[in-house]
Amino acid sequence: MAGNFAESEWMAGVWLAVEEVLSFSRKDLVARPESEIPLNVARQFLGMIDRFSMGEPIQYILGYSYFRYLKLHVNPAVLIPRPETEWLVSLVLEHVQEKFAMGVDACTGSGCIALSLAAERPSWRISAFDFSLTALQTAALNKAETKADVRFYQADALNVHQDEARFPLDFVVSNPPYVPIRESGEVEESVKMHEPSMAVFVDSDDAILFYKAIVNQYFDVLKSDGWFFFEIHPGSELLLKEFLEGLQGIRFWFEKDFKNLSRFLLVQKEVA
């Protein structure tokens, strides 16, 4: 390990830096090991590796990250998009079959979910919000470069203005803050040191605070047979189950991630 990264993550980061900064693929290094690297490029590369070895995420060092089919700007104002969230997008695409669907991405961060949905379903009408203005600036930059049609705006997921929650929706999707602050010791050091804490941790005794707020505020404007799609903390499954069993007119289930942990929650409103 280096800089509190697992070995696999460390090597993946090094190779990403090699390919992006030095413009060498792994095949190039094997086929042309004698190739010379300009001194200024070598210094830039070694400087990045030094920062990476100290625990700074390689995506922040490079200034961008790949998410599904998009290359997105990232910085410490937004979470680094992860493979689990790519899966969340896949679940939306799998279950929402309407050609002209309307959806909201709550707690959008870099805009990765909303922009991917808009890029892959151009006929959909997607809106997305975040409480952080600096996060929204990053999302706006990504919108400009991807040309995906998303309406970004500022809002608090715990208190969405009625004007922003009144139109009929086919779905709401969210990867909200979901790690209880009391479990911060279990989070990777690089995440705690570099990624925005307000996007990671729930600073409340109620670990599912954001899920309750989003469901309660958008339930009435969700169409019959509409959906909520959430990324969740595996340890919150029982709390979420208890909350949802107290609601009428829905069906719900959990799906597992690559590690066989409950990571996604799907809630469908029953046809009236």
Side-chain angles (χ1 to χ4, degrees):
M1 296 178 62
N4 295 305
F5 292 110
E7 183 178 355
S8 59
E9 187 176 357
W10 164 251
M11 289 307 302
V14 170
W15 277 114
L16 182 59
V18 168
E19 293 173 355
E20 299 291 336
V21 179
L22 302 183
S23 298
F24 273 90
S25 68
R26 301 190 191 197
K27 291 182 180 179
D28 290 333
L29 290 177
V30 172
R32 297 183 287 124
E34 74 286 353
S35 299
E36 293 187 3
I37 300 171
L39 183 59
N40 64 320
V41 176
R43 285 174 175 166
Q44 179 188 11
F45 172 75
L46 292 174
M48 287 184 170
I49 294 302
D50 185 52
R51 291 167 61 186
F52 186 42
S53 68
M54 296 298 291
E56 187 175 353
I58 194 67
Q59 294 90 344
Y60 288 162
I61 297 170
L62 294 172
Y64 55 83
S65 180
Y66 293 98
F67 185 83
R68 291 181 69 85
Y69 305 106
L70 303 178
K71 180 179 179 180
L72 302 174
H73 291 276
V74 293
N75 54 58
V78 299
L79 288 177
I80 296 167
R82 287 172 167 79
E84 290 85 353
T85 310
E86 291 184 312
W87 196 334
L88 180 64
V89 172
S90 294
L91 290 171
V92 179
L93 296 174
E94 175 186 348
H95 291 283
V96 179
Q97 298 298 317
E98 287 78 0
K99 183 176 181 181
F100 299 103
M102 295 180 61
V104 168
D105 172 23
C107 308
T108 193
S110 66
C112 61
I113 294 173
L115 292 169
S116 288
L117 291 172
E120 296 179 49
R121 294 291 186 272
S123 62
W124 288 7
R125 183 179 172 187
I126 308 295
S127 299
F129 68 83
D130 203 284
F131 183 72
S132 167
L133 284 175
T134 51
L136 288 172
Q137 289 171 353
T138 304
L141 180 60
N142 286 324
K143 173 184 175 178
E145 297 208 354
T146 61
K147 306 270 193 304
D149 186 14
V150 175
R151 183 177 74 92
F152 289 108
Y153 59 96
Q154 185 186 28
D156 182 354
L158 299 178
N159 187 25
V160 177
H161 194 277
Q162 283 302 110
D163 289 344
E164 297 291 356
R166 67 183 181 183
F167 44 85
L169 293 172
D170 294 284
F171 68 90
V172 177
V173 60
S174 186
N175 177 22
Y178 61 63
V179 180
I181 193 69
R182 62 180 178 273
E183 297 182 20
S184 61
E186 300 176 16
V187 174
E188 292 179 8
E189 198 64 28
S190 63
V191 173
K192 288 191 289 186
M193 291 293 294
H194 297 282
E195 300 197 49
S197 60
M198 68 179 296
V200 177
F201 297 108
V202 182
D203 190 10
S204 168
D205 290 335
D206 187 353
I208 62 170
L209 181 68
F210 281 89
Y211 301 94
K212 289 179 179 178
I214 292 169
V215 169
N216 288 332
Q217 291 174 109
Y218 281 101
F219 188 83
D220 288 341
V221 295
L222 202 65
K223 296 178 182 178
S224 292
D225 78 359
W227 296 85
F228 290 101
F229 299 92
F230 291 110
E231 187 171 329
I232 71 168
H233 186 281
S236 295
E237 180 178 352
L238 291 179
L239 289 173
L240 288 163
K241 185 173 183 290
E242 181 180 348
F243 163 62
L244 292 168
E245 284 177 342
L247 301 180
Q248 299 295 320
I250 63 167
R251 65 188 187 106
F252 68 91
W253 67 94
F254 299 90
E255 296 206 6
K256 298 185 183 298
D257 63 11
F258 312 99
K259 300 177 181 178
N260 203 36
L261 297 172
S262 292
R263 183 67 63 184
F264 309 104
L265 168 63
L266 285 72
V267 182
Q268 186 175 30
K269 190 173 180 179
E270 294 178 350
V271 177

